[in-house]
């Protein structure tokens, strides 16, 4: 599980996973998690993980995990959501302005060709 992986790593546990995209990257690529895509590979990865020198892995894992947190993830998600909302608002304003301009132009043209009180404006 991509959400549980950092918790297992923070607890100092060896981790083996199937090739789940959000586990492979970054945890598998960093060498923190063993990735296996077959039953045999999974068993082999478990055996390798149990033989790992925990003392060598933990400082690297701790350094990596110290750069992330649920608070940071939430802030990043909130920023992305705000960017999308702002972008949609700008799009809506632009569409509204274009529609208003089109309406004004149509009214102006209509005034030029429509008789008003017996005369053309």
């Amino acid at each position: 599980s991509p959400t549980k992986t950092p918790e297992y790593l923070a607890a100092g546990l060896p981790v083996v996973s199937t090739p789940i995209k959000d586990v492979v990257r970054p945890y598998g690529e960093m060498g923190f998690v063993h990735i296996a895509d077959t039953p045999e590979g999974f068993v082999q990865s478990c055996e390798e993980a149990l033989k790992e020198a925990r003392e060598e892995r933990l400082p690297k894992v701790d350094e990596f995990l110290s750069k992330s947190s649920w608070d940071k993830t939430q802030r990043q998600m909130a920023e992305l959501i705000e960017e999308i909302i702002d972008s949609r608002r700008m799009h809506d304003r632009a569409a509204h302005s274009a529609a208003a301009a089109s309406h004004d132009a149509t009214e102006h043209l209509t005034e030029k060709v429509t008789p008003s009180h017996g005369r053309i404006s």
Side-chain angles (χ1 to χ4, degrees):
S1 164
T3 56
K4 292 294 183 185
T5 299
E7 295 179 29
Y8 299 145
L9 292 170
L13 300 171
V15 180
V16 178
S17 176
T18 56
I20 298 168
K21 178 182 165 187
D22 291 339
V23 174
V24 171
R25 183 172 181 231
Y27 307 109
E29 291 175 354
M30 299 287 294
F32 301 146
V33 174
H34 296 267
I35 306 296
D37 57 3
T38 64
E40 299 79 18
F42 197 86
V43 170
Q44 182 180 353
S45 291
C46 288
E47 290 170 352
E48 290 171 10
L50 292 172
K51 293 177 187 174
E52 276 184 358
R54 183 175 186 236
E55 301 77 27
E56 291 177 23
R57 181 174 35 88
L58 285 181
K60 295 173 191 171
V61 168
D62 287 346
E63 180 183 345
F64 178 79
L65 293 177
S66 72
K67 297 174 187 169
S68 64
S69 70
W70 286 116
D71 290 336
K72 182 179 177 183
T73 300
Q74 185 278 329
R75 276 193 306 275
Q76 290 172 330
M77 290 176 71
E79 288 170 8
L80 290 172
I81 291 167
E82 283 301 317
E83 287 176 18
I84 291 168
I85 291 170
D86 290 344
S87 173
R88 287 187 180 172
R89 282 183 186 145
M90 287 177 23
H91 178 268
D92 289 348
R93 283 187 203 124
H96 179 72
S97 294
S102 175
H103 176 73
D104 290 348
T106 302
E107 265 189 8
H108 181 71
L109 288 173
T110 303
E111 288 174 5
K112 294 274 187 204
V113 296
T114 304
S116 174
H117 304 291
R119 58 191 163 100
I120 296 178
S121 313

